[in-house]
Amino acid sequence: WVAGVTNAINLIDGIDGLAGSVVLTSFIAIGILAAIAGQFGIVILCVINIALLLGFLLHNMSPARIFLGDTGSLFFGIILGVLTVHIVTIPTVTYSILAAPLLVGFPMLDVITAMIRRFSRSFLNGIPWYKCFGRMFIPDSEHIHHRLLYKGLDHFKICFTLTFYSIIICACAIIIS
């Protein structure tokens, strides 16, 4: 789970502001759930990461002057992966196990659709099914944010749209919890 979330955050870091904004919404939601559960150490960790991301996003919105890169996206991804596991395993509160995937809903959706797309495209091109699994890990430029770029949206509109979608999914995680 932690490795999957970490890589999912890395994969959505394709346009200015997107990964930072989506991760910001996840930290806010985790902070809310941690506050409800009385886990104030986790709340402080979330507040620190929110402050880091807000400072970063001031310089990462299009046209960006700084970037997360692999180091930044993997850093925030591993923290998110660990915190989502922690939040659903708090012994004093019984949060739904569905909260964890919802807290990182957009990045996980993007990774799952990319892997299904790559596998099915390889399979439909006549590649044996056992070799299609290896094709799932070959990078492409067809992630959700790339497709929106091809439709003519600019970085700000894409970032706003996908962050809004992420806010809705995180709100669902809070509601079901």
Side-chain angles (χ1 to χ4, degrees):
W1 174 258
V2 174
V5 171
T6 302
N7 285 308
I9 300 303
N10 189 28
L11 292 177
I12 65 164
D13 189 24
I15 63 170
D16 298 340
L18 180 60
S21 299
V22 169
V23 169
L24 178 71
T25 61
S26 295
F27 277 125
I28 291 170
I30 291 169
I32 291 169
L33 290 174
I36 293 169
Q39 297 280 313
F40 296 108
I42 301 302
V43 173
I44 291 170
L45 181 62
C46 288
V47 168
I48 290 169
N49 281 292
I50 290 166
L52 286 170
L53 286 163
L54 287 173
F56 167 74
L57 284 170
L58 288 174
H59 304 286
N60 184 245
M61 287 303 189
S62 186
R65 290 174 284 170
I66 60 172
F67 304 96
L68 274 179
D70 287 341
T71 305
S73 61
L74 295 175
F75 169 77
F76 286 118
I78 198 164
I79 293 174
L80 271 181
V82 170
L83 288 180
T84 53
V85 170
H86 177 75
I87 209 74
V88 297
T89 58
I90 298 172
T92 58
V93 183
T94 55
Y95 286 141
S96 171
I97 193 76
L98 291 176
L102 288 174
L103 289 168
V104 287
F106 168 67
M108 294 306 285
L109 174 70
D110 189 45
V111 168
I112 290 167
T113 57
M115 296 185 93
I116 290 171
R117 179 186 64 249
R118 293 169 185 167
F119 180 90
S120 60
R121 183 172 292 151
S122 298
F123 187 74
L124 293 174
N125 285 333
I127 296 172
W129 67 270
Y130 55 89
K131 290 186 178 180
C132 293
F133 288 108
R135 299 284 178 115
M136 293 188 330
F137 303 102
I138 297 174
D140 61 20
S141 295
E142 294 188 35
H143 291 277
I144 295 169
H145 56 274
H146 291 127
R147 290 176 178 259
L148 292 173
L149 269 175
Y150 301 148
K151 294 286 185 188
L153 274 71
D154 62 13
H155 284 221
F156 179 78
K157 289 179 183 172
I158 295 169
C159 185
F160 180 80
T161 303
L162 296 178
T163 301
F164 183 72
Y165 174 72
S166 183
I167 290 169
I168 292 171
I169 295 175
C170 286
C172 290
I174 293 169
I175 291 168
I176 68 164
S177 295

